[in-house]
Amino acid sequence: MTPVPYRSEQLSHEEFEALAAAHPDVVIPLEQTPYWADFERKLGRSPYGIWAYYDGGTLVATASYLRSERRLRPSLVVVNGPTWFTTRTHNAEARLVSTVQEQFRADPAVDPLYIRMQIEHPQPPVTGPLEHGWYEREIVVDLTPDTDEIFASFRSNARNLIRKAEKLGVKVSTIERDRWAEVFRMELFPIMQETASRDGFSSFESTFYETLLTELGDHLRLMVAYMDGQAVSWLITTEYRGYSVYYFAASSHSARKTNAPYLLLWEAFKVLKEAGNTACGLTGIVSDNYPSLINVTTFKRNFSKTVVTIPTTYDIPLHPLRYALVANALKMRREAPGKLRGLPASAKGLAGRIAGRKGNKADS
């Protein structure tokens, strides 16, 4: 039996704020707010609006949608959401999935192949995703105890390294907001490039972080660790409604010798607590879909034993046949290099000659 859809209603900025204010105890991710949508718009992306979903007169959930126009697979993506205001039961989530399908199939302004969002109770038609979109586990630090208790809750290794960093002369500074973009571009982005090269990941361009700092400044902090006047480690935290997130960070090789990242994060906790935040999420740690996060997991586990599981990202196909064809094509493309590596040399040569002939014909 098809679940009964919810009533949906698009929210203005003011209406969203009114709903949020009426539910002060609900943790709303910053990515699910109009502020983040404005940031995405400044990057040249296309936010599609925030919708509220109601069961009668009861607010069930909200979701902020971002249009993605990737080739052959236009979609609407809910980044780190939806936000639930009632209990997220198996039936409630099935009704939301049904609602979203009906809502966007009937919307003449968009023709998405699928909707992507976090699902806690996956069931058909939920599938995929074509690509994973958000981490699935994170460490959370409780900031409600006094600072001595927070420090005592860290692993002894972290406490010792914080003390060593202080003795070595590492200094932590909160950068003035009107200097954020300049300091990031001149002093901090090179550290991000070094970190990305060392740890084997791709960072955004400097303009991404500069835009983030400029557009979301009311909800961010930029803190930097210096050694002998030289920036060696930095972090950006977000804050919204008393919940903070250790969002971006990077450290030079020399920072590791001084343990600067440990002292920097500890100082950030104290600043965030003083500002009224009750917790700080340290973002993703290792999980089945993100085994590459094992290195940062080791660092983050030093600060808390609390691991929070976040619902996995899934796709909700609106055109199942087209979606299946795209999914199969992507799977074949991803598996092809591995299959080619497994071929005998003679077969590889034949494949190369065939590809070359096809290329020559195309050029003629």
Side-chain angles (χ1 to χ4, degrees):
M1 184 174 68
T2 303
V4 178
Y6 294 122
R7 174 173 63 87
S8 62
E9 179 181 312
Q10 189 171 5
L11 301 175
S12 67
H13 191 131
E14 294 73 22
E15 289 167 337
F16 175 88
E17 288 296 346
L19 284 185
H23 299 82
D25 296 329
V26 174
V27 175
I28 302 176
L30 186 58
E31 297 87 356
Q32 285 296 296
T33 69
Y35 309 109
W36 192 271
D38 291 342
F39 161 61
E40 295 280 8
R41 193 173 289 108
K42 286 291 184 178
L43 292 173
R45 299 170 183 169
S46 303
Y48 194 60
I50 301 177
W51 269 262
Y53 298 92
Y54 295 89
D55 186 7
T58 302
L59 175 63
V60 175
T62 60
S64 179
Y65 295 91
L66 179 67
R67 295 181 77 156
S68 174
E69 301 293 343
R70 300 186 70 175
R71 186 171 177 268
L72 299 178
R73 43 191 163 133
S75 62
L76 289 173
V77 180
V78 181
V79 181
N80 196 16
T83 302
W84 284 81
F85 292 77
T86 58
T87 304
R88 190 176 194 159
T89 65
H90 188 284
N91 181 62
E93 207 163 51
R95 291 181 66 184
L96 181 61
V97 168
S98 179
T99 303
V100 166
Q101 285 187 303
E102 182 178 289
Q103 174 185 356
F104 292 109
R105 277 178 181 154
D107 187 340
V110 289
D111 183 26
L113 178 62
Y114 57 89
I115 311 297
R116 176 167 293 165
M117 62 172 60
Q118 292 167 338
I119 303 289
E120 187 170 337
H121 309 283
Q123 56 196 301
V126 169
T127 188
L130 297 180
E131 306 93 1
H132 291 286
W134 202 255
Y135 53 83
E136 300 160 326
R137 300 169 73 227
E138 73 168 335
I139 300 287
V140 176
V141 178
D142 182 8
L143 299 180
T144 56
D146 63 39
T147 52
D148 288 342
E149 288 182 79
I150 295 173
F151 187 78
S153 71
F154 300 162
R155 287 183 173 176
S156 59
N157 177 61
R159 298 196 300 270
N160 291 335
L161 293 178
I162 289 168
R163 295 186 186 105
K164 287 181 180 179
E166 291 174 323
K167 291 178 180 178
L168 287 170
V170 175
K171 303 296 183 185
V172 175
S173 297
T174 299
I175 305 301
E176 299 86 351
R177 183 171 169 179
D178 61 356
R179 298 185 59 237
W180 282 358
E182 175 193 359
V183 170
F184 188 89
R185 181 171 57 253
M186 301 301 294
E187 298 184 48
L188 308 184
F189 186 62
I191 299 176
M192 171 57 86
Q193 291 177 302
E194 178 187 335
T195 302
S197 176
R198 182 182 64 236
D199 294 346
F201 67 88
S202 298
S203 74
F204 296 106
E205 295 296 327
S206 182
T207 51
F208 172 91
Y209 303 98
E210 293 171 44
T211 303
L212 176 83
L213 292 165
T214 301
E215 297 302 319
L216 285 170
D218 288 344
H219 303 284
L220 302 181
R221 293 182 193 274
L222 174 61
M223 297 180 66
V224 184
Y226 292 90
M227 184 67 186
D228 298 327
Q230 180 77 29
V232 294
S233 184
W234 59 264
L235 59 77
I236 295 173
T237 58
T238 65
E239 297 171 64
Y240 186 63
R241 289 161 55 93
Y243 189 87
S244 57
V245 178
Y246 170 64
Y247 215 92
F248 291 114
S251 299
S252 67
H253 180 71
S254 60
R256 296 186 173 191
K257 297 178 182 178
T258 62
N259 308 307
Y262 288 87
L263 178 60
L264 177 60
L265 189 51
W266 168 227
E267 293 297 328
F269 290 151
K270 290 190 283 187
V271 170
L272 293 169
K273 176 179 173 60
E274 180 67 23
N277 293 282
T278 59
C280 182
L282 302 188
T283 64
I285 60 171
V286 66
S287 65
D288 290 343
N289 291 316
Y290 292 97
S292 62
L293 292 176
I294 185 62
N295 291 333
V296 295
T297 301
T298 302
F299 171 72
K300 293 173 183 179
R301 284 191 186 279
N302 280 290
F303 298 97
S304 176
K305 297 177 181 178
T306 303
V307 177
V308 174
T309 300
I310 298 168
T312 299
T313 298
Y314 287 93
D315 293 342
I316 306 168
L318 272 61
H319 304 283
L321 180 57
R322 278 174 48 204
Y323 181 92
L325 290 172
V326 170
N328 286 334
L330 289 173
K331 181 180 180 182
M332 290 175 62
R333 188 174 72 181
R334 289 166 183 157
E335 292 178 351
K339 290 182 177 179
L340 186 60
R341 285 194 296 271
L343 290 174
S346 58
K348 290 181 184 178
L350 177 60
R353 289 195 295 276
I354 292 173
R357 285 202 296 271
K358 287 181 179 177
N360 291 336
K361 288 180 181 179
D363 293 336
S364 62

